[in-house]
Amino acid sequence: MLSEKISKMLNDQVNLEFYSSNMYLQISAWCSSKGLEGGSHFFYKHSKEELDHMYKLFNYINDSGNIAIIGKIEEPPKSFSDFYSMIEKVYKHEQHVTKQITTLIDYCLSNKDYTTFNFLQWYVSEQHEEEKLIKGILDKSLMVQKEHIGIYMIDKYLSKISRDTTSS
Ligand code: FEO
């Protein structure tokens, strides 16, 4: 059984992953409304991956003899001034998720919960991949920020990577 504090921290992470899923789903709609089909497809797929992250935590809490609690989930942003500011927001969000995972891990180690520490290793690798993925899009977006033709190329890139890979 998990300590009350660790159970609470994991529940907070459940809600954060839920928020991430909703945020990406909303971004998918925003991309679609701008005619960015590649971006829309990419973020739709990413939204589903975030749900998987949420389910992993949800099941871990329940399997540990505790109860997963779904809390209130904040509304995600609905619109962005441009593609670059959207992807910048996404990158900051993923950095925030990484920070939360790190805080959880620090707490588990200092309280000798090695089972949860072990469970969370998957999230450490996943966040490394997610930050790398989003940073790649951010860097490319920065290069073409002021060029409309560039946004079209970015959209093609997203379309390609979301069809070629299943990783997040
Ligand atoms: Fe589940 Fe993108 O963090």
Side-chain angles (χ1 to χ4, degrees), residues 5-134:
K5 171 78 176 170
I6 288 184
S7 180
K8 160 88 176 63
M9 290 172 88
L10 291 171
N11 266 308
D12 288 346
Q13 195 64 32
V14 164
N15 288 319
L16 185 59
E17 301 290 350
F18 234 133
Y19 174 83
S20 302
S21 176
N22 288 346
M23 183 177 101
Y24 291 135
L25 194 60
Q26 189 65 67
I27 291 174
S28 165
W30 180 80
C31 287
S32 179
S33 77
K34 301 287 175 197
L36 297 168
E37 288 155 16
S40 181
H41 181 75
F42 175 86
F43 284 107
Y44 186 85
K45 199 175 151 207
H46 210 83
S47 167
K48 288 202 212 175
E49 286 174 15
E50 296 295 349
L51 276 186
D52 288 341
H53 303 173
M54 184 279 293
Y55 285 130
K56 261 187 215 293
L57 286 153
F58 178 88
N59 291 331
Y60 179 76
I61 296 167
N62 290 329
D63 291 348
S64 302
N66 298 69
I67 178 164
I69 307 283
I70 307 299
K72 189 175 171 193
I73 318 244
E74 225 183 290
E75 258 183 47
K78 294 183 189 65
S79 63
F80 308 90
S81 50
D82 52 37
F83 188 93
Y84 182 79
S85 64
M86 178 275 285
I87 204 71
E88 194 177 37
K89 206 166 255 213
V90 167
Y91 186 54
K92 280 188 182 144
H93 176 72
E94 287 301 339
Q95 287 181 308
H96 172 66
V97 174
T98 302
K99 198 165 162 239
Q100 294 307 108
I101 294 290
T102 305
T103 303
L104 249 168
I105 285 186
D106 278 349
Y107 189 83
C108 288
L109 270 185
S110 52
N111 288 276
K112 300 189 173 10
D113 183 344
Y114 300 117
T115 309
T116 306
F117 170 80
N118 186 50
F119 165 75
L120 289 169
Q121 295 312 299
W122 184 87
Y123 288 85
V124 173
S125 310
E126 183 64 15
Q127 280 313 118
H128 178 73
E129 288 305 312
E130 296 237 314
E131 283 202 28
K132 182 179 152 200
L133 174 74
I134 304 298

